[in-house]
Amino acid sequence: SQQGEEDPQALSIQEGENATMNCSYKTSINNLQWYRQNSGRGLVHLILIRSNEREKHSGRLRVTLDTSKKSSSLLITASRAADTASYFCATVPYSSASKIIFGSGTRLSIRP
Amino acid sequence: NAGVTQTPKFRVLKTGQSMTLLCAQDMNHEYMYWYRQDPGMGLRLIHYSVGEGTTAKGEVPDGYNVSRLKKQNFLLGLESAAPSQTSVYFCASIPGGRGSTGANVLTFGAGSRLTVL
């Protein structure tokens, strides 16, 4: 089974609203990464948070990490139509830092 | 700088045929990965490599073989294709290795869409 599971599977919000996606994982991690995938394209890296960090910001993105609950959240503030995409978390296990495993993803739709 | 290049982009196979997907990266990355993505799902790791001449199994390795004879290339082979292998295949790489100063985040290719009839 996949290391990361995202919630919700799909999210539809109005432009300008904030979007929150959650990721849960099973084993201890070295770091957790979020990626974005536009329809039919490859994935693009958004942000990385290390296991000793609790929160990280990048532009309109805010990522939190709770290692005690083995969960992370990605917040996109002031959403735009161009944010419509699928978002995936990827975990880098502490035991095998080269084996990068993805979650099932959240499909985000921004309504104009 | 092309990044990660996958060939072919599209391929249709009949059940039982064999084929090889080629991934090439020009960033001198140590680690390379092959993932598959099925409709509405995330990426599942097939095989990966942490250096030239080394490969390791991922989450779903059965039915696939890989080779990393050159650092810049990572080949994914299907010896006897099955309809269950119809998918979009993504190759990715990270700097990896000792002394790597780059953030170990994945750079992806554009994907190879494979249909097995």
Side-chain angles (χ1 to χ4, degrees), chain A residues 2 33 35 37 45 98 100, chain B residues 33 35 37 43 104-106:
Chain A
Q2 291 182 307
Q33 304 172 22
Y35 289 80
Q37 182 182 35
H45 175 257
S98 54
I100 303 175
Chain B
Y33 301 78
Y35 293 90
Q37 184 177 33
L43 278 72
N104 276 331
V105 298
L106 292 161

Side-chain angles (χ1 to χ4, degrees), chain A residues 1-3 31 33 35 37 40-45 48 88 96-105 107, chain B residues 31 33 35 37 40-45 48 50 57-59 90 94 103-110 113:
Chain A
S1 61
Q2 291 182 307
Q3 163 78 320
N31 66 74
Q33 304 172 22
Y35 289 80
Q37 182 182 35
R41 309 289 288 272
L43 280 72
V44 175
H45 175 257
L48 178 154
F88 297 91
S96 177
S98 54
K99 193 172 182 179
I100 303 175
I101 303 296
F102 280 81
S104 51
R107 294 187 308 279
Chain B
Y31 298 178
Y33 301 78
Y35 293 90
Q37 184 177 33
M41 295 182 67
L43 278 72
R44 290 183 290 170
L45 180 62
Y48 63 104
V50 299
K57 294 180 180 179
E59 301 173 280
F90 287 99
I94 60 175
N104 276 331
V105 298
L106 292 161
T107 299
F108 278 86
R113 185 175 297 274

Side-chain angles (χ1 to χ4, degrees), chain B residues 23-43:
Chain B
C23 177
Q25 52 93 5
D26 60 2
M27 299 170 287
N28 201 35
H29 284 178
E30 288 288 339
Y31 298 178
M32 296 185 73
Y33 301 78
W34 275 108
Y35 293 90
R36 62 176 287 174
Q37 184 177 33
D38 299 303
M41 295 182 67
L43 278 72

